[in-house]
């Protein structure tokens, strides 16, 4: 499908026209993917042996793609900056992975998963992509079970499910609180089989620093060996970026410390459009910030909202007494508590989508009801669930007249069985026992829905350059539902890319090896080396972390949970000034020819300093509230939705795809108009 797009640049008043082709197949929604697979070109097995593919990233998106492509017969090179592919950030995923298996018989279907995802994303995602995701979701579970992933099982032997926010069914498969780690072990084992066969060459402790284009096509990368500092050239017929999300632009986030935007940003500078950079997910259930010394925030999985009830004191004086340590939460009676999600959203209660829950927590705290020392925390309370499970257990164990202590003990054991590792983590960090006193939680940056723009085939605007997993702008619109990132990463890697990339590579069967001794590789390598030299030559006094923290504060204060025109304009100017200062005054110790983590960080922060400005510019352009992007100027003023975020479908029903033109303020906006033919656009209500 070809869209005519208006190019505008709201901050610099540039206007232009262009086209953006999302290549959505024709035909009925439910048939598109099957029809597409039947019609695209294939590469025969003998020819696959002559084709090379680079996969940057070995998280769930990258390792699933690499293992599948190698199994198909392509020669694959994988890159990651960790010491092992299995240390990718994906191992942090706790809660689970969605699939429309309907094991519970609770009315689930591929259509319902599709519908929930489009609605959850506040109608800012592509229908065709999301439907495909829902269709293949069931295959993912089968694939992972075959690999030996130990999903939790019910008494009867079927895989167990739990619920995540924004849905009315239980479709989340899980392996205790370690789902990402178990899934990655499965994908990594599949990768290892191919490494053993010589079909995957795995480059660990390597950082991709540029994409090399030859005749407009991605034909390789420049990477730095992080141990020796050596700059290397690697060629291929196609390059896949599965390099994860960029939440660390905020400095503090639940992402792994190393998560960064460099691979995507380098591709952006080489012509890949960056889509919806301002769409960030701020997760409602994280351990609150405790001080300036912190460099990392910790997630308490959304799965906890299956059993935890969120509340703040009803009276401000009680909240103050709690903050001052004069009152304990357990001393507050039921009548004095405000279970505000259950009150405001009776249909979904504590399981409203993340953006809704996060904003509600912020509103409570801003209004003076926060419960920790800084006033930026609400409670997540398991007392009711412990009692409920305890009573149920007493019944099934045939214990008549159980004492309160017996009920508590049995109920706590059930909770421990479900969430034990999360409770342990909480206690270690906060030094409070969450079985006995409610957890304190507050929203934190967690996931980025924005990323490289891709068409239906997952190809970016650079031919032969693909993006998968969190690195692409993906299927989640303006807000991702819980447990759907793992689903998307694995759908992309196991079931979508292996088909669509074949269509592209079928034109390359006679191309032969891509040489690296060409002017394009010379130039790209020179650019990378010059940049490293520039970073190392600074004689300034400020550390890389100083710049990262300062950027993070601007992002959180001015582009965080709620945004307005003035703050966003200020942020754009402040980030530009900070970036200028960085290049004059940053101090990178050590040398470039050895392991130098400050140099690694400096390169990543330099890219964050560009992305941050584009982020604010994108948020400024989008003068509507949608999903995780809340504009203070766009709020429902009347009616049953009063006070809720106000979407503007008339003016903003598009994907923003930004083209690099030098400084971020020069970036050009391309709009992919979103077309809804199968879902009626509605006000997103969870009441
Ligand atoms: C604490 C936490 C819990 C979560 N829980 C869940 C959950 O329960 N369910 C769910 O669906 N989602 C969850 N998510 C989200 C989900 O984990 C991620 O979105 C997903 O794992 C991202 O996978 P990925 O493969 O796209 O990227 P990642 O796993 O981030 O992998 C990125 C890879 O790219 C490599 N890389 C990056 N840049 C470069 C470079 N320049 N050169 C070379 N290599 C590079 C890295 O080395 C790494 O191998 C959670 C996220 C967090 C932070």
């Amino acid at each position: 499908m070809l869209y005519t797009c208006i190019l505008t640049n709201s901050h610099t008043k540039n206007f232009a026209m262009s086209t953006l082709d999302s290549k959505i197949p024709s035909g009925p929604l439910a048939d598109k993917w099957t029809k597409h697979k039947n019609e695209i070109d294939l590469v025969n097995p003998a020819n696959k042996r002559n084709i090379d593919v680079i996969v940057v990233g070995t998280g769930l998106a990258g390792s699933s793609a690499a293992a599948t492509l190698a199994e198909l017969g392509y020669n694959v090179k994988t890159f990651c900056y960790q010491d092992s592919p299995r240390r990718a950030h994906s191992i942090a995923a706790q809660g689970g992975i969605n699939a429309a298996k309907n094991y519970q018989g609770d009315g689930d279907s591929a259509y319902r998963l599709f519908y929930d995802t489009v609605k959850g994303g506040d109608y800012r995602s592509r229908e065709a992509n999301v439907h495909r995701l829902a269709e293949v979701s069931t295959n993912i579970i089968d694939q992972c079970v075959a690999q030996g992933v130990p999903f939790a099982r019910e008494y009867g032997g079927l895989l167990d499910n739990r619920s995540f926010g924004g849905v009315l069914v239980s479709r989340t498969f899980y392996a205790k609180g370690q789902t990402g780690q178990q899934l990655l072990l499965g994908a990594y084992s599949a990768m290892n089989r191919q490494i053993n066969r010589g079909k995957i060459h795995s480059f660990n402790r390597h950082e991709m620093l540029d994409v090399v284009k030859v005749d407009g096509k991605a034909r390789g990368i420049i990477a730095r060996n992080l141990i020796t500092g050596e700059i290397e050239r690697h060629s291929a017929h196609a390059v896949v970026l599965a390099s994860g999300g960029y939440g660390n632009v905020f400095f503090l986030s639940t992402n792994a410390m190393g998560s960064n935007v460099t691979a995507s940003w380098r591709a952006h500078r080489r012509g890949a459009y960056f889509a919806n950079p301002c769409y960030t997910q701020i997760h409602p259930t994280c351990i609150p910030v405790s001080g300036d010394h912190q460099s990392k925030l910790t997630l308490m999985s959304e799965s906890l909202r299956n059993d935890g009830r969120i509340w703040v004191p009803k009276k401000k004086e009680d909240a103050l007494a709690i903050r001052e340590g004069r009152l304990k939460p357990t001393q507050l009676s039921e009548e004095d508590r405000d279970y505000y999600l259950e009150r405001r959203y009776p249909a979904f209660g504590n399981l409203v989508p993340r953006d809704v829950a996060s904003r509600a927590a912020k509103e409570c705290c801003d209004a003076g009801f926060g419960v920790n020392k800084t006033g930026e925390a609400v409670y997540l309370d398991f007392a009711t669930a412990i009692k409920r499970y305890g009573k149920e257990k007493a019944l099934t164990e045939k214990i008549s007249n159980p004492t309160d202590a017996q009920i508590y003990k049995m109920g706590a054991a059930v909770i421990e069985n479900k969430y034990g590792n999360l409770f342990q983590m909480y206690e270690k960090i906060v030094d409070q026992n969450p079985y006995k006193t409610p957890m304190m939680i507050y929203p934190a940056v967690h996931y980025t829905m924005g990323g490289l723009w891709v068409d239906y085939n997952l190809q970016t605007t650079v031919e032969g350059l693909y993006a998968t997993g969190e690195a692409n702008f993906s299927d989640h619109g303006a807000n991702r539902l819980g447990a759907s990132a793992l689903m998307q990463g694995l759908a992309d890697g196991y079931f979508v890319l292996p088909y669509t990339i074949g269509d592209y590579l079928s034109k390359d069967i006679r191309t032969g090896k891509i040489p690296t001794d060409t002017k394009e590789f010379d130039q790209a390598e020179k650019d990378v080396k010059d940049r490293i030299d520039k970073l190392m030559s600074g004689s300034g006094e400020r550390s890389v972390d100083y710049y990262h923290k300062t950027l993070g504060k601007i992002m959180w204060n001015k582009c965080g949970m709620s945004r307005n025109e003035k703050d966003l304009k200020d942020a754009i100017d402040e980030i530009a000034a900070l970036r200028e200062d960085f290049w004059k005054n940053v101090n990178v110790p050590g040398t470039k020819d050895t392991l130098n983590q400050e140099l690694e960080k400096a390169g990543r922060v330099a890219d964050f300093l560009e992305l941050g400005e584009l982020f604010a510019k994108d948020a400024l352009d989008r003068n509507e509230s949608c999903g995780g992007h809340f504009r203070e100027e766009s709020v429902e003023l009347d009616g049953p939705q009063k006070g809720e975020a106000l979407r503007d479908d008339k003016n903003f029903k598009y994907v923003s795809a930004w083209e690099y033109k030098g400084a971020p303020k020069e970036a050009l906006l391309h709009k992919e108009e979103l077309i809804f033919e199968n879902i009626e656009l509605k006000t997103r209500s969870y009441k």
Side-chain angles (χ1 to χ4, degrees), residues 38-203:
N38 288 339
E39 289 174 357
I40 55 182
D41 281 334
L42 302 175
V43 181
N44 93 24
N47 284 330
K48 285 192 183 104
R49 281 180 223 127
N50 302 322
I51 291 188
D52 305 327
V53 181
I54 283 174
V55 180
V56 178
T58 59
L60 285 172
S63 54
S64 56
T68 312
L69 292 171
E71 178 76 40
L72 285 171
Y74 297 107
N75 309 309
V76 178
K77 282 182 176 182
T78 60
F79 292 82
C80 70
Y81 59 74
Q82 291 92 347
D83 57 353
S84 158
R86 61 146 301 204
R87 286 195 200 277
H89 161 64
S90 288
I91 59 164
Q94 302 170 346
I97 175 168
N98 289 329
K101 283 278 197 192
N102 194 27
Y103 281 166
Q104 306 297 314
D106 58 359
D108 203 7
S109 64
Y111 180 82
R112 211 174 261 280
L113 173 49
F114 155 73
Y115 176 84
D116 288 343
T117 309
V118 173
K119 177 185 171 191
D122 219 353
Y123 305 92
R124 289 293 173 264
S125 43
R126 242 188 237 146
E127 277 193 343
N129 288 51
V130 180
H131 199 277
R132 173 176 66 189
L133 176 66
E135 283 172 59
V136 305
S137 68
T138 53
N139 304 20
I140 298 171
I141 303 303
D142 298 341
Q143 168 98 357
C144 297
V145 168
Q147 287 169 347
V149 172
F151 285 121
R153 285 179 186 268
E154 292 180 333
Y155 178 72
L158 268 188
L159 300 186
D160 194 18
N161 291 140
R162 53 192 178 196
S163 277
F164 267 52
V167 306
L168 295 171
V169 295
S170 286
R171 64 163 71 102
T172 304
F173 295 77
Y174 64 100
K176 245 190 174 178
Q178 310 174 344
T179 315
Q181 174 159 2
Q182 298 304 331
L183 291 171
L184 192 58
L185 284 171
Y188 175 57
S189 311
M191 249 184 91
N192 260 332
R193 189 172 118 74
Q194 303 303 330
I195 292 173
N196 193 39
R197 289 177 65 220
K199 293 303 291 180
I200 292 184
H201 193 160
S202 164
F203 293 84

Side-chain angles (χ1 to χ4, degrees), residues 327-387:
L327 185 68
K328 289 192 176 139
T330 43
Q331 292 171 320
L332 220 58
S333 67
E334 281 296 306
E335 304 80 71
D336 288 327
R337 300 171 178 204
D338 180 12
Y339 294 94
Y340 56 89
L341 289 178
E342 296 171 26
R343 171 175 56 80
R344 286 176 60 176
Y345 307 99
F348 285 71
N350 293 295
L351 280 171
V352 289
R354 292 172 179 180
D355 56 327
V356 177
S358 289
R359 270 197 297 279
K362 182 176 187 304
E363 279 168 30
C364 287
C365 294
D366 288 353
F369 295 95
V371 294
N372 69 345
K373 279 194 184 127
T374 62
E376 290 190 319
V378 299
Y379 286 127
L380 178 64
D381 195 335
F382 293 86
T384 312
I386 290 177
K387 213 179 261 175

Side-chain angles (χ1 to χ4, degrees), residues 653-671:
K653 193 164 52 66
Y654 59 79
V655 173
S656 309
W658 295 93
E659 182 182 0
Y660 182 78
K661 289 281 178 190
K665 73 172 187 300
E666 306 298 339
L668 279 179
L669 174 58
H670 300 239
K671 296 177 181 177

Side-chain angles (χ1 to χ4, degrees), residues 562-620:
S562 70
R563 303 155 180 186
N564 63 56
E565 182 180 344
K566 179 180 176 309
D567 281 354
L568 290 168
K569 284 184 171 160
D570 288 350
I572 290 173
D573 295 339
E574 286 170 30
I575 296 168
L578 186 68
R579 190 171 62 242
E580 206 182 313
D581 190 64
F582 170 90
W583 283 107
K584 279 190 202 140
N585 287 316
V586 71
N587 182 3
V588 183
T591 67
K592 62 181 180 182
D593 307 321
T594 53
L595 176 71
N596 185 344
Q597 293 192 313
E598 283 301 300
L599 175 59
E600 291 167 33
K601 275 198 294 188
R604 294 170 194 166
V605 170
D607 289 332
F608 278 142
L609 283 163
E610 291 184 14
L611 164 76
E613 189 181 331
L614 185 68
F615 184 123
K617 186 179 163 74
D618 183 47
L620 180 63

Side-chain angles (χ1 to χ4, degrees), residues 9 15 36 61 87 113 167 187 228 245 300 313 315 348 358 365 410 488 506 519 530 563 595 633 673 686:
N9 185 324
F15 294 90
H36 192 57
R87 286 195 200 277
L113 173 49
V167 306
T228 64
M300 288 287 102
K315 296 184 211 132
F348 285 71
S358 289
C365 294
M410 288 186 287
Q488 182 232 328
S506 63
K519 61 178 190 323
D530 288 352
R563 303 155 180 186
L595 176 71
E633 297 89 340
E673 191 65 28
Y686 290 94

Side-chain angles (χ1 to χ4, degrees), residues 237-354:
H237 297 89
V239 176
V240 180
L241 297 186
S243 46
Y246 52 85
N248 280 351
V249 67
F250 285 81
F251 185 69
L252 284 181
S253 88
T254 62
N255 288 193
M257 293 292 290
S259 295
N260 68 88
V261 78
T262 289
S264 299
W265 196 255
R266 299 280 111 201
H268 175 56
R269 290 175 66 111
R270 293 285 179 198
Y273 293 179
F274 209 105
N276 300 332
C278 81
Y279 285 172
T280 314
Q281 176 155 90
I282 303 196
H283 196 300
T285 57
C286 303
I287 297 181
V289 175
S290 64
D292 260 357
H293 57 279
Q294 256 177 300
S295 54
K296 176 88 186 71
L297 294 177
T298 307
L299 177 76
M300 288 287 102
S301 167
E302 178 161 318
S303 57
L304 295 173
R305 285 200 272 147
N306 274 271
D307 285 310
R309 298 178 71 195
I310 296 177
W311 63 274
V312 289
K314 257 187 200 157
K315 296 184 211 132
K316 273 193 197 164
E317 55 269 31
D318 286 341
L320 185 67
I322 288 177
R323 285 202 292 274
E324 291 178 354
R326 290 182 280 115
L327 185 68
K328 289 192 176 139
T330 43
Q331 292 171 320
L332 220 58
S333 67
E334 281 296 306
E335 304 80 71
D336 288 327
R337 300 171 178 204
D338 180 12
Y339 294 94
Y340 56 89
L341 289 178
E342 296 171 26
R343 171 175 56 80
R344 286 176 60 176
Y345 307 99
F348 285 71
N350 293 295
L351 280 171
V352 289
R354 292 172 179 180

